Amino acid sequence: MSSSISSSTTGTALVKRGFADMLRGGVIMDVVNQEQAKIAEDAGAVAVMALERVPADIRRDGGVARMSDPLMIQEIQASVTIPVMAKARIGHFAEAQILQALDVDYIDESEVLTPADEENHIDKWAFTVPFVCGATNLGEALRRIGEGACLIRSKGEAGTGNVVEAVRHLRTINAQMRRVHSADASELYSLAKDLQAPLALVREVAELGKLPVPLFCAGGISTPADASLVLQLGAEAVFVGSGIFKSDEPVRMAQAIVEAATHFEDASVVAKVSTGLGAAMKGWETASLEQRLAERGW
Amino acid sequence: MKRIGVLSLQGDVSEHVAMLNTLGCEVVKVRTLEQLDSVDALILPGGESTTIAHLLVTSGLSDALAVKLKEEMPVLGTCAGLILLSSEILDGRSDQWSYGALSVSVRRNGYGRQIASFESELDVQGVGRVPGIFIRAPRIERVSEEVEVLATLDHGDGAGEHPVFVRQGHVWGLSFHPELSSDTRVHELFLNSL
């Protein structure tokens, strides 16, 4: 029982991916101030995403969307005990350095903000803090993992309240993983070329039958039924952006989505928590959008 | 054969399930009272302790688990599971409750936020060297006499050696995550005690 060791190592792939494992089955909620953060924690959120404007408002306001003011991130860190995530622009490694210096628990290199680099994403291996990135297909997911992402989420179409794009992305990723998993070893070179993904990671998917990191869902989730849908489609946790605080009754909506995420396979529980919830956020038909955020990132 | 439950409300449930399957156990994912009643022992996984506590209440399992603990059902908690079993939570939510089945004080995120999460090899009594994976881990700051300490760690932060693996009769608590490694010996130690 004598274990006197001071050879601890931080920032390993295992502790970064392991932290994502701890969030599984949970709901990560976008919050813009301390009051919302507390509502999220009270409702059972596993983490909050601190940002100045939820995606629906970014979409409405237009202009350049950047990393949040460190002050609001620090205020939210001080107000809750659960993990606090924050967003950096695609390719903006200086924003990521600031977020790491602020001791945020996860960085979302996010297409919801205005991209800072149209060719390169952040070299995420260079950081101790873990990163989550969005993906619309398997190749994109594996490119992000190749750059050091420890968690992948579907992009969906943020701020629309419409789950259709998230479903498309999840189904695409799953179908492509099934194809890779069933492929002959000699077919993987060509598949890697088609997916524009690193061969080593394609081989890992072929062996595991799934991504080497957890796969969560984001983008347009607005109701307990939406959460149940994407979890049944294979997502392991959900990010809810505008869907909670743009609904009629955010407290009840937050609690209901948390319960639906746990009991997503039990329709009687999802029915119970969906009953009399008030209106979900209004939402947009994606065909009518002027700007598709999911197209950002490469 | 013993049936082992894994509380499956939130967290790294599948790693525990996979490890127990490897060891040939019959495993039940516990989300309902009937499932809780069907098991001989229970694992409380890692995850967010506030979320799991909330879901224990909303799913109607919290009182039933308290009864099981009183009836001396063997329970092992990792990370968030340790927090739920502890008798005192430091730096938690002001209204955060726990079962008090382990006479230990734990400090939430006692090693720091995620950037401070770390790996460090541990020497576990009766097992030997095992990988220790600590993620936003709770730090055990005080243990009472009846608590057996199975592993300690000197984190090199000047605080000296402190417990990271404790046992009080049928209740086991770990600050770290053996389920995230491929080493099954900590789970075997628990199973062999049943």
Short mmCIF file of all heavy atoms in Angstrom, two decimals, chain A residues 29-85:
data_model
loop_
_atom_site.label_atom_id
_atom_site.label_comp_id
_atom_site.label_asym_id
_atom_site.label_seq_id
_atom_site.Cartn_x
_atom_site.Cartn_y
_atom_site.Cartn_z
N MET A 29 -25.34 21.83 -22.36
CA MET A 29 -26.25 22.92 -22.72
C MET A 29 -25.50 24.23 -22.96
O MET A 29 -24.63 24.61 -22.18
CB MET A 29 -27.25 23.15 -21.58
CG MET A 29 -28.10 21.92 -21.26
SD MET A 29 -29.32 22.25 -19.97
CE MET A 29 -29.89 20.56 -19.64
N ASP A 30 -25.88 24.93 -24.04
CA ASP A 30 -25.36 26.28 -24.30
C ASP A 30 -25.94 27.24 -23.28
O ASP A 30 -27.16 27.25 -23.06
CB ASP A 30 -25.79 26.77 -25.69
CG ASP A 30 -24.92 26.21 -26.81
OD1 ASP A 30 -24.04 25.39 -26.53
OD2 ASP A 30 -25.14 26.62 -27.97
N VAL A 31 -25.09 28.07 -22.67
CA VAL A 31 -25.58 29.08 -21.73
C VAL A 31 -24.84 30.39 -22.00
O VAL A 31 -23.68 30.38 -22.40
CB VAL A 31 -25.36 28.66 -20.25
CG1 VAL A 31 -26.16 27.41 -19.93
CG2 VAL A 31 -23.89 28.43 -19.93
N VAL A 32 -25.52 31.51 -21.76
CA VAL A 32 -24.91 32.81 -22.05
C VAL A 32 -24.65 33.63 -20.78
O VAL A 32 -24.09 34.72 -20.86
CB VAL A 32 -25.75 33.64 -23.04
CG1 VAL A 32 -25.90 32.91 -24.36
CG2 VAL A 32 -27.11 34.01 -22.45
N ASN A 33 -25.09 33.14 -19.62
CA ASN A 33 -24.83 33.87 -18.37
C ASN A 33 -24.94 32.91 -17.18
O ASN A 33 -25.27 31.73 -17.35
CB ASN A 33 -25.80 35.06 -18.22
CG ASN A 33 -27.25 34.60 -18.29
OD1 ASN A 33 -27.62 33.57 -17.74
ND2 ASN A 33 -28.08 35.37 -18.99
N GLN A 34 -24.66 33.45 -15.99
CA GLN A 34 -24.64 32.62 -14.78
C GLN A 34 -26.01 32.03 -14.47
O GLN A 34 -26.11 30.88 -14.03
CB GLN A 34 -24.17 33.45 -13.58
CG GLN A 34 -22.70 33.83 -13.68
CD GLN A 34 -22.23 34.60 -12.46
OE1 GLN A 34 -22.87 35.56 -12.05
NE2 GLN A 34 -21.12 34.18 -11.87
N GLU A 35 -27.07 32.81 -14.69
CA GLU A 35 -28.41 32.32 -14.37
C GLU A 35 -28.73 31.07 -15.21
O GLU A 35 -29.23 30.08 -14.70
CB GLU A 35 -29.48 33.40 -14.63
CG GLU A 35 -29.45 34.59 -13.67
CD GLU A 35 -28.18 35.44 -13.79
OE1 GLU A 35 -27.72 35.68 -14.94
OE2 GLU A 35 -27.64 35.85 -12.76
N GLN A 36 -28.43 31.17 -16.49
CA GLN A 36 -28.68 30.02 -17.36
C GLN A 36 -27.80 28.83 -16.97
O GLN A 36 -28.24 27.68 -17.00
CB GLN A 36 -28.45 30.39 -18.83
CG GLN A 36 -29.49 31.37 -19.37
CD GLN A 36 -29.34 31.59 -20.86
OE1 GLN A 36 -28.41 31.10 -21.49
NE2 GLN A 36 -30.27 32.35 -21.43
N ALA A 37 -26.56 29.11 -16.59
CA ALA A 37 -25.65 28.03 -16.19
C ALA A 37 -26.21 27.29 -14.99
O ALA A 37 -26.17 26.05 -14.91
CB ALA A 37 -24.27 28.58 -15.90
N LYS A 38 -26.76 28.05 -14.03
CA LYS A 38 -27.32 27.41 -12.83
C LYS A 38 -28.57 26.60 -13.17
O LYS A 38 -28.78 25.51 -12.63
CB LYS A 38 -27.64 28.47 -11.77
CG LYS A 38 -26.39 28.96 -11.07
CD LYS A 38 -26.73 30.00 -10.01
CE LYS A 38 -25.46 30.64 -9.48
NZ LYS A 38 -25.65 32.04 -9.13
N ILE A 39 -29.40 27.15 -14.06
CA ILE A 39 -30.58 26.40 -14.49
C ILE A 39 -30.14 25.08 -15.13
O ILE A 39 -30.70 24.01 -14.86
CB ILE A 39 -31.42 27.24 -15.49
CG1 ILE A 39 -32.12 28.37 -14.76
CG2 ILE A 39 -32.44 26.35 -16.24
CD1 ILE A 39 -32.81 29.38 -15.67
N ALA A 40 -29.10 25.14 -15.95
CA ALA A 40 -28.60 23.93 -16.62
C ALA A 40 -28.10 22.92 -15.60
O ALA A 40 -28.44 21.73 -15.65
CB ALA A 40 -27.49 24.30 -17.61
N GLU A 41 -27.31 23.38 -14.63
CA GLU A 41 -26.78 22.46 -13.62
C GLU A 41 -27.92 21.87 -12.78
O GLU A 41 -27.94 20.66 -12.51
CB GLU A 41 -25.77 23.18 -12.72
CG GLU A 41 -25.09 22.23 -11.74
CD GLU A 41 -24.06 22.92 -10.86
OE1 GLU A 41 -24.39 23.96 -10.25
OE2 GLU A 41 -22.94 22.43 -10.78
N ASP A 42 -28.87 22.73 -12.38
CA ASP A 42 -30.02 22.25 -11.60
C ASP A 42 -30.79 21.17 -12.35
O ASP A 42 -31.32 20.24 -11.75
CB ASP A 42 -31.00 23.40 -11.31
CG ASP A 42 -30.47 24.34 -10.23
OD1 ASP A 42 -29.50 23.97 -9.54
OD2 ASP A 42 -31.02 25.45 -10.12
N ALA A 43 -30.86 21.33 -13.66
CA ALA A 43 -31.67 20.40 -14.47
C ALA A 43 -30.93 19.09 -14.72
O ALA A 43 -31.52 18.14 -15.22
CB ALA A 43 -32.02 21.05 -15.81
N GLY A 44 -29.63 19.03 -14.37
CA GLY A 44 -28.90 17.78 -14.55
C GLY A 44 -27.99 17.76 -15.76
O GLY A 44 -27.55 16.68 -16.18
N ALA A 45 -27.65 18.92 -16.31
CA ALA A 45 -26.70 18.95 -17.44
C ALA A 45 -25.37 18.37 -16.99
O ALA A 45 -24.96 18.55 -15.84
CB ALA A 45 -26.50 20.39 -17.92
N VAL A 46 -24.65 17.67 -17.90
CA VAL A 46 -23.33 17.14 -17.56
C VAL A 46 -22.23 18.19 -17.77
O VAL A 46 -21.12 18.02 -17.29
CB VAL A 46 -22.93 15.88 -18.36
CG1 VAL A 46 -23.75 14.69 -17.91
CG2 VAL A 46 -23.04 16.10 -19.86
N ALA A 47 -22.54 19.23 -18.53
CA ALA A 47 -21.58 20.30 -18.78
C ALA A 47 -22.34 21.46 -19.40
O ALA A 47 -23.48 21.29 -19.87
CB ALA A 47 -20.47 19.83 -19.74
N VAL A 48 -21.72 22.63 -19.36
CA VAL A 48 -22.30 23.77 -20.08
C VAL A 48 -21.28 24.29 -21.09
O VAL A 48 -20.07 24.16 -20.90
CB VAL A 48 -22.74 24.93 -19.14
CG1 VAL A 48 -23.91 24.50 -18.28
CG2 VAL A 48 -21.58 25.41 -18.27
N MET A 49 -21.81 24.85 -22.16
CA MET A 49 -21.00 25.52 -23.18
C MET A 49 -21.23 27.02 -22.99
O MET A 49 -22.34 27.50 -23.19
CB MET A 49 -21.46 25.08 -24.57
CG MET A 49 -20.75 25.74 -25.72
SD MET A 49 -19.11 25.07 -26.00
CE MET A 49 -19.51 23.44 -26.65
N ALA A 50 -20.16 27.73 -22.56
CA ALA A 50 -20.30 29.16 -22.28
C ALA A 50 -20.08 29.94 -23.57
O ALA A 50 -19.02 29.84 -24.18
CB ALA A 50 -19.28 29.57 -21.22
N LEU A 51 -21.07 30.70 -23.98
CA LEU A 51 -20.89 31.54 -25.17
C LEU A 51 -21.76 32.77 -25.07
O LEU A 51 -22.71 32.80 -24.28
CB LEU A 51 -21.13 30.76 -26.47
CG LEU A 51 -22.52 30.34 -26.90
CD1 LEU A 51 -22.44 29.65 -28.25
CD2 LEU A 51 -23.16 29.38 -25.92
N GLU A 52 -21.40 33.83 -25.80
CA GLU A 52 -22.09 35.11 -25.63
C GLU A 52 -23.47 35.14 -26.26
O GLU A 52 -24.38 35.80 -25.78
CB GLU A 52 -21.23 36.25 -26.21
CG GLU A 52 -20.24 36.74 -25.17
CD GLU A 52 -19.14 37.61 -25.76
OE1 GLU A 52 -19.06 37.72 -27.00
OE2 GLU A 52 -18.36 38.14 -24.98
N ARG A 53 -23.59 34.42 -27.38
CA ARG A 53 -24.89 34.35 -28.05
C ARG A 53 -25.14 32.91 -28.46
O ARG A 53 -24.22 32.25 -28.95
CB ARG A 53 -24.88 35.21 -29.33
CG ARG A 53 -24.80 36.70 -29.08
CD ARG A 53 -24.68 37.47 -30.39
NE ARG A 53 -23.41 37.23 -31.05
CZ ARG A 53 -23.10 37.63 -32.29
NH1 ARG A 53 -24.00 38.26 -33.00
NH2 ARG A 53 -21.93 37.38 -32.80
N VAL A 54 -26.36 32.41 -28.24
CA VAL A 54 -26.66 31.07 -28.73
C VAL A 54 -26.71 31.13 -30.26
O VAL A 54 -26.90 32.20 -30.85
CB VAL A 54 -27.98 30.51 -28.15
CG1 VAL A 54 -27.84 30.31 -26.65
CG2 VAL A 54 -29.16 31.38 -28.49
N PRO A 55 -26.54 29.98 -30.93
CA PRO A 55 -26.46 29.98 -32.40
C PRO A 55 -27.64 30.68 -33.09
O PRO A 55 -27.45 31.36 -34.10
CB PRO A 55 -26.40 28.49 -32.74
CG PRO A 55 -25.73 27.88 -31.55
CD PRO A 55 -26.22 28.66 -30.37
N ALA A 56 -28.85 30.56 -32.52
CA ALA A 56 -30.01 31.19 -33.16
C ALA A 56 -29.81 32.71 -33.24
O ALA A 56 -30.19 33.35 -34.21
CB ALA A 56 -31.29 30.86 -32.39
N ASP A 57 -29.20 33.28 -32.19
CA ASP A 57 -28.97 34.73 -32.18
C ASP A 57 -27.80 35.11 -33.08
O ASP A 57 -27.81 36.18 -33.70
CB ASP A 57 -28.72 35.21 -30.75
CG ASP A 57 -29.98 35.12 -29.90
OD1 ASP A 57 -31.09 35.15 -30.50
OD2 ASP A 57 -29.88 34.99 -28.67
N ILE A 58 -26.77 34.26 -33.14
CA ILE A 58 -25.65 34.51 -34.06
C ILE A 58 -26.18 34.56 -35.48
O ILE A 58 -25.85 35.43 -36.29
CB ILE A 58 -24.57 33.41 -33.91
CG1 ILE A 58 -23.89 33.53 -32.54
CG2 ILE A 58 -23.55 33.49 -35.04
CD1 ILE A 58 -22.91 32.41 -32.23
N ARG A 59 -27.04 33.61 -35.79
CA ARG A 59 -27.65 33.53 -37.11
C ARG A 59 -28.47 34.79 -37.41
O ARG A 59 -28.40 35.36 -38.49
CB ARG A 59 -28.56 32.29 -37.13
CG ARG A 59 -29.01 31.82 -38.46
CD ARG A 59 -29.78 30.52 -38.30
NE ARG A 59 -28.93 29.35 -38.25
CZ ARG A 59 -28.26 28.85 -39.29
NH1 ARG A 59 -28.31 29.44 -40.46
NH2 ARG A 59 -27.52 27.78 -39.16
N ARG A 60 -29.24 35.24 -36.40
CA ARG A 60 -30.10 36.40 -36.59
C ARG A 60 -29.28 37.68 -36.75
O ARG A 60 -29.54 38.52 -37.60
CB ARG A 60 -31.03 36.53 -35.37
CG ARG A 60 -32.09 37.61 -35.47
CD ARG A 60 -32.64 37.96 -34.09
NE ARG A 60 -31.58 38.46 -33.22
CZ ARG A 60 -31.59 38.38 -31.88
NH1 ARG A 60 -32.59 37.81 -31.27
NH2 ARG A 60 -30.59 38.88 -31.18
N ASP A 61 -28.23 37.83 -35.89
CA ASP A 61 -27.49 39.09 -35.83
C ASP A 61 -26.51 39.26 -36.99
O ASP A 61 -26.20 40.38 -37.38
CB ASP A 61 -26.69 39.18 -34.53
CG ASP A 61 -27.59 39.21 -33.30
OD1 ASP A 61 -28.82 39.37 -33.49
OD2 ASP A 61 -27.08 39.06 -32.18
N GLY A 62 -25.97 38.14 -37.50
CA GLY A 62 -24.95 38.24 -38.54
C GLY A 62 -23.66 38.81 -37.97
O GLY A 62 -23.45 38.84 -36.76
N GLY A 63 -22.77 39.25 -38.84
CA GLY A 63 -21.48 39.79 -38.39
C GLY A 63 -20.51 38.67 -38.07
O GLY A 63 -20.80 37.50 -38.28
N VAL A 64 -19.33 39.04 -37.57
CA VAL A 64 -18.30 38.06 -37.23
C VAL A 64 -18.56 37.54 -35.82
O VAL A 64 -18.68 38.32 -34.87
CB VAL A 64 -16.89 38.68 -37.31
CG1 VAL A 64 -15.84 37.69 -36.85
CG2 VAL A 64 -16.61 39.14 -38.73
N ALA A 65 -18.63 36.22 -35.67
CA ALA A 65 -18.82 35.63 -34.35
C ALA A 65 -17.48 35.10 -33.86
O ALA A 65 -16.81 34.34 -34.56
CB ALA A 65 -19.85 34.50 -34.42
N ARG A 66 -17.07 35.52 -32.65
CA ARG A 66 -15.74 35.20 -32.12
C ARG A 66 -15.86 34.47 -30.79
O ARG A 66 -16.94 34.31 -30.24
CB ARG A 66 -14.95 36.50 -31.90
CG ARG A 66 -14.91 37.41 -33.10
CD ARG A 66 -14.11 38.67 -32.79
NE ARG A 66 -14.02 39.55 -33.95
CZ ARG A 66 -14.90 40.51 -34.25
NH1 ARG A 66 -15.94 40.72 -33.45
NH2 ARG A 66 -14.76 41.26 -35.32
N MET A 67 -14.68 34.09 -30.26
CA MET A 67 -14.60 33.55 -28.89
C MET A 67 -15.28 34.52 -27.92
O MET A 67 -15.25 35.73 -28.12
CB MET A 67 -13.11 33.42 -28.54
CG MET A 67 -12.83 32.93 -27.15
SD MET A 67 -11.05 33.08 -26.75
CE MET A 67 -10.96 34.80 -26.26
N SER A 68 -15.85 33.97 -26.84
CA SER A 68 -16.52 34.82 -25.85
C SER A 68 -15.53 35.61 -25.01
O SER A 68 -14.36 35.24 -24.91
CB SER A 68 -17.35 33.95 -24.91
OG SER A 68 -18.35 33.27 -25.63
N ASP A 69 -16.02 36.66 -24.38
CA ASP A 69 -15.23 37.45 -23.44
C ASP A 69 -14.80 36.55 -22.27
O ASP A 69 -15.64 35.90 -21.65
CB ASP A 69 -16.11 38.59 -22.92
CG ASP A 69 -15.35 39.56 -22.03
OD1 ASP A 69 -14.35 39.14 -21.39
OD2 ASP A 69 -15.76 40.73 -21.95
N PRO A 70 -13.50 36.52 -21.96
CA PRO A 70 -13.04 35.69 -20.83
C PRO A 70 -13.81 35.96 -19.54
O PRO A 70 -14.03 35.04 -18.75
CB PRO A 70 -11.57 36.09 -20.68
CG PRO A 70 -11.15 36.45 -22.07
CD PRO A 70 -12.36 37.12 -22.69
N LEU A 71 -14.26 37.19 -19.35
CA LEU A 71 -14.98 37.51 -18.11
C LEU A 71 -16.24 36.67 -17.98
O LEU A 71 -16.51 36.12 -16.90
CB LEU A 71 -15.34 39.01 -18.08
CG LEU A 71 -16.16 39.44 -16.86
CD1 LEU A 71 -15.36 39.25 -15.57
CD2 LEU A 71 -16.61 40.89 -16.99
N MET A 72 -17.01 36.53 -19.07
CA MET A 72 -18.25 35.76 -18.94
C MET A 72 -17.94 34.27 -18.75
O MET A 72 -18.63 33.59 -18.01
CB MET A 72 -19.22 36.03 -20.10
CG MET A 72 -18.91 35.45 -21.46
SD MET A 72 -19.42 33.73 -21.66
CE MET A 72 -21.19 33.92 -21.56
N ILE A 73 -16.85 33.80 -19.36
CA ILE A 73 -16.47 32.40 -19.15
C ILE A 73 -16.09 32.19 -17.69
O ILE A 73 -16.52 31.22 -17.05
CB ILE A 73 -15.30 32.02 -20.09
CG1 ILE A 73 -15.78 32.07 -21.56
CG2 ILE A 73 -14.76 30.62 -19.74
CD1 ILE A 73 -14.67 31.93 -22.57
N GLN A 74 -15.32 33.11 -17.13
CA GLN A 74 -14.90 32.98 -15.73
C GLN A 74 -16.09 33.07 -14.78
O GLN A 74 -16.15 32.36 -13.77
CB GLN A 74 -13.86 34.06 -15.39
CG GLN A 74 -12.51 33.77 -16.03
CD GLN A 74 -11.55 34.95 -15.97
OE1 GLN A 74 -11.95 36.11 -16.09
NE2 GLN A 74 -10.28 34.65 -15.80
N GLU A 75 -17.03 33.94 -15.10
CA GLU A 75 -18.23 34.05 -14.25
C GLU A 75 -18.99 32.73 -14.24
O GLU A 75 -19.49 32.29 -13.20
CB GLU A 75 -19.13 35.18 -14.75
CG GLU A 75 -18.61 36.56 -14.38
CD GLU A 75 -19.45 37.69 -14.99
OE1 GLU A 75 -20.34 37.40 -15.83
OE2 GLU A 75 -19.20 38.84 -14.62
N ILE A 76 -19.09 32.12 -15.40
CA ILE A 76 -19.82 30.85 -15.48
C ILE A 76 -19.04 29.75 -14.77
O ILE A 76 -19.61 28.94 -14.04
CB ILE A 76 -20.15 30.52 -16.94
CG1 ILE A 76 -21.25 31.48 -17.41
CG2 ILE A 76 -20.57 29.06 -17.11
CD1 ILE A 76 -21.59 31.40 -18.87
N GLN A 77 -17.71 29.74 -14.92
CA GLN A 77 -16.90 28.76 -14.18
C GLN A 77 -17.12 28.89 -12.67
O GLN A 77 -17.14 27.90 -11.95
CB GLN A 77 -15.41 28.95 -14.49
CG GLN A 77 -15.00 28.44 -15.88
CD GLN A 77 -13.57 28.80 -16.21
OE1 GLN A 77 -13.10 29.89 -15.88
NE2 GLN A 77 -12.86 27.89 -16.87
N ALA A 78 -17.28 30.13 -12.22
CA ALA A 78 -17.44 30.36 -10.78
C ALA A 78 -18.82 29.97 -10.29
O ALA A 78 -19.02 29.75 -9.09
CB ALA A 78 -17.17 31.84 -10.46
N SER A 79 -19.78 29.87 -11.20
CA SER A 79 -21.17 29.69 -10.75
C SER A 79 -21.63 28.24 -10.73
O SER A 79 -22.65 27.93 -10.16
CB SER A 79 -22.11 30.54 -11.61
OG SER A 79 -22.12 30.05 -12.94
N VAL A 80 -20.88 27.34 -11.39
CA VAL A 80 -21.31 25.93 -11.42
C VAL A 80 -20.15 24.99 -11.07
O VAL A 80 -18.98 25.37 -11.18
CB VAL A 80 -21.89 25.52 -12.80
CG1 VAL A 80 -23.21 26.23 -13.07
CG2 VAL A 80 -20.90 25.76 -13.92
N THR A 81 -20.50 23.76 -10.67
CA THR A 81 -19.46 22.76 -10.35
C THR A 81 -19.21 21.81 -11.52
O THR A 81 -18.26 21.04 -11.49
CB THR A 81 -19.89 21.90 -9.14
OG1 THR A 81 -21.07 21.15 -9.49
CG2 THR A 81 -20.19 22.77 -7.93
N ILE A 82 -20.10 21.83 -12.51
CA ILE A 82 -19.94 20.92 -13.66
C ILE A 82 -18.93 21.51 -14.66
O ILE A 82 -18.60 22.69 -14.58
CB ILE A 82 -21.31 20.64 -14.33
CG1 ILE A 82 -21.99 21.95 -14.76
CG2 ILE A 82 -22.21 19.86 -13.40
CD1 ILE A 82 -23.31 21.75 -15.50
N PRO A 83 -18.45 20.68 -15.60
CA PRO A 83 -17.45 21.18 -16.57
C PRO A 83 -17.99 22.34 -17.41
O PRO A 83 -19.19 22.39 -17.72
CB PRO A 83 -17.18 19.96 -17.45
CG PRO A 83 -17.59 18.78 -16.64
CD PRO A 83 -18.71 19.24 -15.77
N VAL A 84 -17.08 23.23 -17.77
CA VAL A 84 -17.43 24.38 -18.61
C VAL A 84 -16.61 24.30 -19.90
O VAL A 84 -15.38 24.22 -19.87
CB VAL A 84 -17.14 25.71 -17.89
CG1 VAL A 84 -17.42 26.90 -18.81
CG2 VAL A 84 -17.98 25.82 -16.61
N MET A 85 -17.31 24.28 -21.02
CA MET A 85 -16.67 24.26 -22.34
C MET A 85 -16.80 25.65 -22.95
O MET A 85 -17.65 26.45 -22.54
CB MET A 85 -17.38 23.26 -23.26
CG MET A 85 -17.45 21.84 -22.71
SD MET A 85 -18.18 20.75 -23.97
CE MET A 85 -18.07 19.18 -23.14
#
